[in-house]
Amino acid sequence: MPAAQTKDDLLAVSAKEFAKLQSLMVTVPSDVATQSIEENWSIRDVLVHRAHWIDLFLGWYADGQAGKKVAFPAPGYKWNQLAAYNETVLAQHADVSWEDAQVRFLAAHDRWIKLVSGLTQEALYGAPMTGGNNNWTCGRWAEAAGPSHYRSAAKFIRTCLKQASVGR
């Protein structure tokens, strides 16, 4: 799927992918949500991860706007260390319940919507994101943190639900 090129398209794809994900989330039984199913990840883990990455993006944007050094992807980590970083994130949030994971994710999505809705077309797509150290625009980073992650989370949940139904 091609990346959005306009604010309206970004908000539309976000609404579409968020609705798909949310409709799946409400079907997930609590016991299934916390089962490690694929590569030791659970549905709960995926939502915690997605909420965390939305907040990373929001932090990158805020730091860039403030003229601070942007830590991509996170302080002390390089892009080739994502697997180790993600494991750290999951370990730090291991005690989060399924219900709290959903609340955190929904709150992160709301923060994402608030930022993107408040930015102009120019701020989203006019130039590379300040502090981004590459050519991606703020809109492209926003899409990676939001709708692209929603799409992959929905795919993961569908896979997990299929596996869980076979085991029941």
Side-chain angles (χ1 to χ4, degrees):
M1 171 173 283
Q5 299 295 313
T6 68
K7 177 179 176 174
D8 289 343
D9 288 347
L10 178 59
L11 290 170
V13 73
S14 178
K16 175 184 168 187
E17 298 301 337
F18 180 76
K20 288 180 186 178
L21 178 54
Q22 196 169 32
S23 70
L24 278 171
M25 286 168 45
V26 299
T27 69
V28 177
S30 197
D31 65 321
V32 172
T34 56
Q35 290 176 8
S36 292
I37 297 181
E38 193 171 297
E39 296 182 23
N40 292 324
W41 283 61
S42 69
I43 294 170
R44 181 203 63 87
D45 293 338
V46 167
L47 275 195
V48 166
H49 174 267
R50 296 320 192 255
H52 180 81
W53 276 84
I54 289 170
D55 285 335
L56 278 177
F57 159 69
L58 296 173
W60 299 333
Y61 178 80
D63 286 349
Q65 293 302 300
K68 296 178 183 176
K69 181 174 172 32
V70 179
F72 278 106
Y77 288 90
K78 296 179 182 178
W79 286 108
N80 64 357
Q81 298 171 309
L82 282 182
Y85 178 68
N86 287 333
E87 290 302 318
T88 300
V89 169
L90 294 184
Q92 290 171 343
H93 297 91
D95 63 339
V96 173
S97 69
W98 170 232
E99 292 74 20
D100 192 32
Q102 292 175 83
V103 168
R104 290 176 185 211
F105 173 74
L106 295 173
H109 171 73
D110 287 347
R111 290 188 294 275
W112 184 96
I113 289 290
K114 183 178 179 183
L115 174 70
V116 171
S117 295
L119 294 175
T120 65
Q121 171 69 22
E122 181 67 21
L124 284 165
Y125 291 102
M129 187 168 82
T130 304
N133 269 348
N134 63 25
N135 291 325
W136 275 25
T137 63
C138 179
R140 183 64 190 100
W141 280 112
E143 186 167 354
S148 293
H149 262 170
Y150 302 167
R151 190 177 308 113
S152 65
K155 180 180 176 184
F156 180 85
I157 291 171
R158 284 190 297 274
T159 298
C160 292
L161 290 173
K162 285 178 188 174
Q163 288 180 14
S165 69
V166 170
R168 289 181 179 230

